[in-house]
Amino acid sequence: SQQGEEDPQALSIQEGENATMNCSYKTSINNLQWYRQNSGRGLVHLILIRSNEREKHSGRLRVTLDTSKKSSSLLITASRAADTASYFCATALTGNTPLVFGKGTRLSVIA
Amino acid sequence: GAVVSQHPSWVICKSGTSVKIECRSLDFQATTMFWYRQFPKQSLMLMATSNEGSKATYEQGVEKDKFLINHASLTLSTLTVTSAHPEDSSFYICSARLAVNTDTQYFGPGTRLTVL
C-alpha cells in the first residue's frame, strides 16, 4: 500500500524559481528518502533523512522532516530546466523493511 | 556507489508467453532484493521482497504463481512474468540492499515490458 502522499501532484515553474514539494506519510518511520525519476528512466537517489533529523541539505536541495506531523518537504532552489522530472518520497518503517513510495510530484521547469 | 543492473532493458512479447527479467548487483552482494512495478504516470508499487536462498514474500494482491521470483545467489534475482497479458505491460524495477539494517536500496535502471 502507498505510504506517502505527495503534493502537489504536478508543479510548473519558471527557471530560477524555487520548487517545493511535500510528502505526508501514515506510520512511524526509520527514514525518509527522496528520489528523482526522469521520464521512462530509473530512479536517482537524492537525499536520505533519518527520523531523528529535522533538516538536511545537499547542493540546491533542502529536505525537512517533521515527525510530529508525519510530513517532509523537498525544496529545490534556483531551479533549472534539467530539474524537470518526477520526484518521489519513500519511507522505510525500519532498517529491514523495503521502501514504500509516495505518488510523486511531476515538476516541469520552463526555460 | 553500488551498481545494480537489469536485463533486458526493454522487451516486447506476445500475449501468453513468459518473460524473465534479471536483476544483478554488480559490485556487492545483496542479501535482499526487491521488485517494484510502475504503470505509466504512477508511482512504484512494491511487488515482492526476495531474500537469497529463501522464498520471496509477496505483497497483497500480487499473484505469486504469475510473478515467479528466484534469488539463487547473492548477486542475482530473477522475475518471471508467466503467461503475460497486455495488462502486465509495465516498467519493472528491482533494487538491492547490501545488508540487514542498512538504509540504502540501490535501484536498477528498470525493464520496460510490453505485452502485445
Side-chain angles (χ1 to χ4, degrees), chain A residues 1-2 30-31 33 35 37 40-43 45 48 50 88 94-104 106, chain B residues 34 36 38 41-46 49 59 91 93 97 99-105 107-110 112:
Chain A
S1 62
Q2 293 292 152
N30 175 278
N31 66 78
Q33 304 181 35
Y35 288 83
Q37 184 181 37
R41 308 291 292 272
L43 295 173
H45 183 260
L48 179 153
R50 300 186 194 284
F88 296 94
T94 71
N96 277 335
T97 55
L99 289 173
V100 177
F101 285 79
K103 294 182 178 179
R106 291 192 306 279
Chain B
F34 306 96
Y36 293 83
Q38 184 181 31
K41 296 187 178 180
Q42 294 189 26
S43 185
L44 282 76
M45 295 294 293
L46 179 67
T49 299
E59 294 298 301
F91 194 50
I93 304 174
R97 191 165 59 200
V100 174
N101 280 325
T102 57
D103 297 318
T104 306
Q105 287 181 218
F107 284 85
R112 183 159 305 283

Side-chain angles (χ1 to χ4, degrees), chain A residues 61-79:
Chain A
L61 306 181
R62 173 176 167 253
V63 168
T64 62
L65 178 64
D66 186 335
T67 53
S68 66
K69 296 180 179 178
K70 293 186 170 60
S71 68
S72 173
S73 68
L74 169 66
L75 169 68
I76 303 175
T77 60
S79 64

Side-chain angles (χ1 to χ4, degrees), chain A residues 27-38:
Chain A
T27 67
S28 298
I29 59 171
N30 175 278
N31 66 78
L32 184 145
Q33 304 181 35
W34 284 90
Y35 288 83
R36 184 184 74 215
Q37 184 181 37
N38 288 74

